[in-house]
Amino acid sequence: MIIAKQMDIRANIKEFFDMAYNGETILVPRKQNHNVIIMSEEEYNKLNQASRITAYSALLTNRIDTELKIHNKQKLASIRSMKKNWNGNGAPAFSKKLIDKVENLLNKLVIQPEIFPTALGTIQFEYDNSRRDHMEIEIGVSEVAEVFIVKFNGEELTENINVTAEIINERVQSFYG
Amino acid sequence: MDKTFKNTEKLYRAVYPPEIADIFWKKDGSISSAAFADPKGLSVDRGNYRDDNEVIDSMRERFKGHIVSLFVKNCTDVNAIVRYLPSKTNIYHTEIHGDATTPLLSKSQRRALAKAAVIITPRPL
């Protein structure tokens, strides 16, 4: 980007227009910061398209996340309705305390997990990223949850975290890198 | 029936609860490792080299949900123990345990078995 005064532009308008046509962006400072930019139509169209793609991508991500949030709410209602021995092998029913805790977490999580019940009376959050790493967070009534990660190369990591939406959000953000 | 298992024998897992059959299915069509967590040991039917359809028909007499299959090798690869424990109602009943003293599979074993599992009845919609 180059910066040029109004008077220079006026005196050499063809040269500046040619520069812009060849891909240069020219900033023209004006009083009260009423600055303008000179650029080619091609550059303008590129910017406009990129901006629309970004907006569409954000809209799509938001829509997918909203759909998953609705799906998770429905799934949590199903888990709430599962009675003792739901697995045919004596699994416990899920406590109201745990269901409420998970519902509260899901409302505050920036990225929705896939959720699954376990016969241990816990609810497992799962995330899979584009690198093919896999992360599970097992939520129980305890204040601490175990995080289990299997990386794409088979390397496994386990750690304990305190169960708060803030900490899970941080952990998930780090997982998605 | 032989109490021992060869790596090539198939094991069949009924995915409960049958009335909410898609509860363990992931967005990508695979099954979650959560379906392999059981503190009492993971109940399966041994195949004893029967045809898949014969096993499904036999399991359908007791269970209406979905069925996934594994090979014994998938279990031995992660050091899980396969125990033949026939009952009065099911001569094929077998359990997969985490190790010799712990029935619960570890998270790592559950994940490996979930990845290896083949869904042999149609995936729920």
Side-chain angles (χ1 to χ4, degrees):
Chain A
M1 176 182 280
I2 60 169
I3 302 171
K5 291 177 186 168
Q6 277 192 83
M7 56 186 290
D8 293 335
I9 300 279
R10 221 177 283 126
N12 304 287
I13 195 158
K14 186 182 180 303
E15 284 76 7
F16 280 106
F17 280 3
D18 284 345
M19 273 195 270
Y21 179 78
N22 289 316
E24 190 60 81
T25 307
I26 301 143
L27 169 67
V28 188
R30 299 168 75 215
K31 283 179 187 169
Q32 294 178 326
N33 225 22
H34 292 177
N35 305 343
V36 296
I37 295 277
I38 302 172
M39 65 170 62
S40 70
E41 184 185 11
E42 191 184 348
E43 283 299 310
Y44 170 78
N45 287 340
K46 272 188 208 166
L47 269 182
N48 206 14
Q49 192 181 12
S51 154
R52 266 185 277 159
I53 288 169
T54 306
Y56 182 66
S57 168
L59 185 74
L60 211 57
T61 306
N62 191 34
R63 188 174 295 166
I64 290 166
D65 205 48
T66 304
E67 281 174 7
L68 194 51
K69 203 175 232 176
I70 293 166
H71 178 69
N72 279 342
K73 281 199 170 179
Q74 291 165 343
K75 207 163 176 183
L76 199 58
S78 295
I79 294 171
R80 190 195 300 265
S81 72
M82 285 159 64
K83 295 186 169 62
K84 188 180 174 191
N85 197 36
W86 58 266
N87 71 341
N89 203 24
F94 294 87
S95 69
K96 184 180 180 306
K97 188 179 173 187
L98 176 62
I99 297 286
D100 290 347
K101 180 180 181 176
V102 168
E103 191 169 29
N104 187 38
L105 284 173
L106 291 176
N107 283 332
K108 293 178 181 169
L109 292 183
V110 176
I111 301 176
Q112 287 291 298
E114 290 191 80
I115 63 167
F116 304 97
T118 82
L120 303 164
T122 56
I123 295 176
Q124 185 163 298
F125 288 9
E126 292 189 21
Y127 292 94
D128 297 276
N129 66 21
S130 57
R131 293 187 299 269
R132 294 188 163 190
D133 303 329
H134 170 80
M135 178 164 75
E136 298 172 1
I137 306 174
E138 192 178 344
I139 310 288
V141 287
S142 157
E143 299 297 312
V144 177
E146 191 175 47
V147 179
F148 173 65
I149 297 172
V150 188
K151 291 194 171 181
F152 69 96
N153 59 4
E155 184 190 348
E156 295 181 358
L157 306 165
T158 306
E159 64 172 309
N160 288 325
I161 58 166
N162 287 322
V163 185
T164 67
E166 291 73 22
I167 291 174
I168 294 176
N169 277 332
E170 276 174 26
R171 198 66 200 77
V172 170
Q173 262 187 332
S174 145
F175 175 73
Y176 281 98
Chain B
M1 214 174 310
D2 190 349
K3 282 189 175 179
T4 61
F5 293 86
K6 286 183 182 155
N7 274 340
T8 52
E9 185 169 349
K10 274 186 178 179
L11 303 169
Y12 297 83
R13 165 77 175 163
V15 182
Y16 281 79
E19 63 275 15
I20 322 170
D22 65 348
I23 203 110
F24 287 110
W25 262 259
K26 288 167 69 79
K27 282 183 297 186
D28 64 5
S30 63
I31 189 166
S32 164
S33 61
F36 295 83
D38 193 326
K40 295 181 179 174
L42 194 75
S43 279
V44 292
D45 276 21
R46 68 182 295 180
N48 198 33
Y49 298 97
R50 288 173 293 164
D51 179 72
D52 276 353
N53 290 328
E54 192 187 334
V55 177
I56 293 167
D57 289 345
S58 149
M59 291 177 80
R60 282 274 178 265
E61 290 172 12
R62 292 171 278 117
F63 170 79
K64 300 292 175 207
H66 288 270
I67 298 166
V68 297
S69 72
L70 295 161
F71 283 100
V72 168
K73 186 177 190 312
N74 300 135
C75 303
T76 54
D77 279 351
V78 291
N79 300 317
I81 310 285
V82 182
R83 288 198 165 134
Y84 177 47
L85 298 166
S87 67
K88 282 180 187 170
T89 53
N90 182 9
I91 58 164
Y92 298 105
H93 182 252
T94 298
E95 287 181 7
I96 307 172
H97 289 191
D99 60 39
T101 56
T102 318
L104 178 66
L105 294 163
S106 68
K107 284 182 187 292
S108 173
Q109 289 170 323
R110 285 179 234 161
R111 172 68 182 160
L113 295 189
K115 280 192 82 175
V118 174
I119 300 161
I120 61 164
T121 56
R123 185 192 168 223
L125 296 172

